[in-house]
Amino acid sequence: MKTLFTNAKFYSMDKRDDYFDACLVEDGYVKETFKGNIPNFQGNIVDLKGACVLPGFIDSHTHSFEGGLYSKGVDCSNIKDLAELFELLSQAKPMSNMVFAWNFDENSITEKRFPTIEELDRVIPHMPLLLRRSDGHSCIINTKALHSIKWKYPLPEPFTGLLRGDLNDNAAHWFHKNLSDESILDAYHAAEEIAFKTGHTTVFTMIGDAQDDVLHFDLIFKHRLDFRIDYELYPQILNIDKAQKCNEFLVGGCILADGSFGSHTAALCQPYADMPDNYGTAYQSQAFWDKFLLTANNRTLQTAVHCIGDFAIKQLITAIERAQAVGESFLQHQIIHCELVDDEMIERMAKAGISAVMQPAFDRYWGGENGFYAKVLGKERALSTNRLKSLVDAGVLVTGSSDWYVTPIDALLGIDSALNMHNPKERLDIYEAVSLYTRNPCKLIFVEPSFGFLVRNSNADFVCLDKDIFEAGNVKDTHITAVYKKGTKVYGDS
């Protein structure tokens, strides 16, 4: 069926200031666009009521499974103290006979500490409990979980319930693996609905334990057509042979070169300002990454690796340069997060064609002169975090994402954050900021502009806003009025 969408300003994102007034959609694709003279059309007509229309938003790095799963658990983001935490946990609804809680930040509560395993046991004694820190790089468990998990690594003594690094991943992935298929699929459907409400029509999501287990990748691939949203699936493992069987082009996601600033495990060239003896943790050697990148590059597999600190980022840049010296150089290997870089590193990334998959909201939440980055890194070094404008101006492909569940899946929040970085030198203009969540992710995986653009033959995926953000130059007080996937409304008033 043909449908004419009209009475709107459609931005194609093909180039700056390129817009049209109406478009004809057939079988889920844009067949024609019209500017000025709109033809007399007798079929189905949809009046978009003066909306500003953009291509459907794309989030280029999420943990959608966890995002959907944890949305059904206990959200700890607004608790004031441990008493409130324990009250919420006592009311939690179990999933597959386990309790999940997330978004906990010990720095934001009165006690300024994690709960102990004994305290958690008093609240949840008979079911495994997982309480994840907001950055995902630390967690707390109860005794029931302690005795249920098959541990791959020695536990710290005395054991308080707090886990970091490999032990954190060991615990979290045990919980995830012990969910039923029904619960897993339910989590992805919940994630789909949350994504639609925030204007997303395509979501890149990571599946795997960041080591050797691809977890439920096959289940989601088998059911991929059951979802209305497009999930771009990353096999998040270090095993290249297994990854290639899942995806002939991509390997990785949050396979970890280091940890996070919040857990003081991001690998730094200089020590933490608040822990002068701590340089963080490089999870692998340079030799490991050299071999990994060489193998992947020779198989034309594009890698995506989590790197927060400058030491870890330098490891990956060096490994990519060495792989390209003896093999293919067209692949846009991805550095996920890419938080702390200097000018030399940016220049090397541009020369090697390395892309940066970044989260502007990280700066919104943790940047600034008195923010968390300044506390752990020092004020001067904190200014070198999240260098969006410097990377874009150097010619590095930068894409926008949320790292959801770590921050909300919310492209408007990401765009607004990119426009208002704490360091004024790193602020993007409105076209650059919107590009992070539309046209740029399409380039990231070398597909034709079927998504991320509104042009002839592209998917009819678009989001309607109540304000023209290009004319305003900002997204303040902007609201999503409707979202269309392949020409069908998936969110908005009926």
Side-chain angles (χ1 to χ4, degrees), residues 63 65-67 69-70 74-77 85 89 99-106 114-115 120 129-141 162-163 165-173 175-176 236 256 263 405-406:
H63 304 271
F65 164 59
E66 289 93 329
L69 176 69
Y70 297 164
V74 177
D75 184 354
C76 305
S77 58
L85 169 66
L89 290 176
V99 175
F100 293 85
W102 63 301
N103 255 343
F104 177 78
D105 183 355
E106 75 282 6
F114 294 94
L120 294 180
L129 163 67
L130 176 69
L131 171 60
R132 301 206 77 175
R133 193 182 186 279
S134 56
D135 62 5
H137 288 268
S138 303
C139 70
I140 322 292
I141 59 171
L162 176 61
L163 302 168
D166 288 334
L167 286 169
N168 167 69
D169 293 339
N170 191 167
H173 290 125
F175 275 84
H176 298 163
Q236 184 176 266
L256 303 176
S263 295
Y405 60 99
V406 175

Side-chain angles (χ1 to χ4, degrees), residues 10 21 29 73 76 101 191 211 302 331 339 389 399 419 455 494:
F10 297 80
D21 304 311
Y29 296 92
C76 305
Q211 293 292 329
Q302 186 164 286
L331 296 169
E339 285 216 65
K389 184 64 173 176
T399 68
L419 294 171
V455 294
S494 56

Side-chain angles (χ1 to χ4, degrees), residues 354-371:
I354 300 170
S355 51
V357 179
M358 301 182 69
Q359 298 73 37
F362 282 11
D363 180 77
R364 170 67 58 87
Y365 289 123
W366 302 305
E369 185 174 342
N370 299 310

Side-chain angles (χ1 to χ4, degrees), residues 56-64 200-206 230-234 236 250 252-254 302-305 334-337 355-360 397-404 408-411 433-445 451:
F57 294 138
I58 304 158
D59 193 309
S60 55
H61 182 82
T62 74
H63 304 271
S64 290
H200 297 81
T201 53
T202 300
V203 174
F204 293 25
T205 190
M206 318 295 132
D230 281 330
Y231 281 125
E232 296 289 332
L233 308 180
Y234 278 59
Q236 184 176 266
L250 295 167
C254 265
Q302 186 164 286
T303 63
V305 180
Q334 303 171 31
I335 292 181
I336 310 295
H337 309 310
S355 51
V357 179
M358 301 182 69
Q359 298 73 37
L397 176 63
V398 180
T399 68
S401 70
S402 60
D403 198 25
W404 185 47
I409 182 168
D410 187 340
V434 173
S435 294
L436 298 182
Y437 296 90
T438 54
R439 57 181 280 129
N440 289 8
C442 176
K443 299 176 183 179
L444 189 67
I445 56 174
F451 59 84

Side-chain angles (χ1 to χ4, degrees), residues 344-361:
E344 180 191 18
M345 294 160 69
I346 292 174
E347 183 179 348
R348 290 170 65 190
M349 288 178 64
K351 185 176 180 180
I354 300 170
S355 51
V357 179
M358 301 182 69
Q359 298 73 37

Side-chain angles (χ1 to χ4, degrees), residues 34-253:
F34 307 98
K35 188 171 184 179
N37 296 322
I38 300 174
N40 184 18
F41 183 73
Q42 301 301 318
N44 187 43
I45 298 177
V46 175
D47 183 345
L48 295 180
K49 302 176 183 179
C52 169
V53 179
L54 305 178
F57 294 138
I58 304 158
D59 193 309
S60 55
H61 182 82
T62 74
H63 304 271
S64 290
F65 164 59
E66 289 93 329
L69 176 69
Y70 297 164
S71 73
K72 297 174 173 294
V74 177
D75 184 354
C76 305
S77 58
N78 294 316
I79 64 170
K80 299 178 181 63
D81 52 35
L82 289 177
E84 189 173 352
L85 169 66
F86 300 147
E87 177 64 23
L88 288 175
L89 290 176
S90 71
Q91 301 172 13
K93 181 180 179 181
M95 290 174 276
S96 297
N97 204 35
M98 297 178 290
V99 175
F100 293 85
W102 63 301
N103 255 343
F104 177 78
D105 183 355
E106 75 282 6
N107 298 304
S108 67
I109 62 173
T110 302
E111 293 86 350
K112 304 295 181 186
R113 67 171 177 87
F114 294 94
T116 66
I117 191 169
E118 292 82 10
E119 290 172 324
L120 294 180
D121 287 344
R122 286 196 286 270
V123 184
I124 308 286
H126 302 303
M127 289 182 291
L129 163 67
L130 176 69
L131 171 60
R132 301 206 77 175
R133 193 182 186 279
S134 56
D135 62 5
H137 288 268
S138 303
C139 70
I140 322 292
I141 59 171
N142 64 354
T143 297
K144 184 66 175 179
L146 170 66
H147 293 155
S148 300
I149 297 169
K150 183 178 180 180
W151 296 103
K152 300 178 182 178
Y153 314 97
L155 292 167
E157 295 182 1
F159 185 64
T160 63
L162 176 61
L163 302 168
R164 292 189 172 96
D166 288 334
L167 286 169
N168 167 69
D169 293 339
N170 191 167
H173 290 125
W174 179 87
F175 275 84
H176 298 163
K177 285 188 70 171
N178 281 278
L179 288 163
S180 66
D181 286 357
E182 181 182 5
S183 292
I184 292 169
L185 291 169
D186 187 48
Y188 278 93
H189 281 294
E192 175 183 58
E193 293 306 313
I194 294 169
F196 281 149
K197 289 178 181 179
T198 50
H200 297 81
T201 53
T202 300
V203 174
F204 293 25
T205 190
M206 318 295 132
I207 308 178
D209 71 352
Q211 293 292 329
D212 192 61
D213 191 341
V214 78
L215 298 177
H216 54 262
F217 190 102
D218 290 341
L219 175 69
I220 300 305
F221 186 81
K222 177 183 177 182
H223 288 273
R224 67 194 184 282
L225 298 182
D226 297 342
F227 302 103
R228 294 174 296 167
I229 205 164
D230 281 330
Y231 281 125
E232 296 289 332
L233 308 180
Y234 278 59
Q236 184 176 266
I237 54 176
L238 289 167
N239 188 315
I240 289 176
D241 291 332
K242 286 185 180 180
Q244 197 158 32
K245 290 178 182 178
C246 296
N247 189 315
E248 295 180 351
F249 180 63
L250 295 167
V251 57

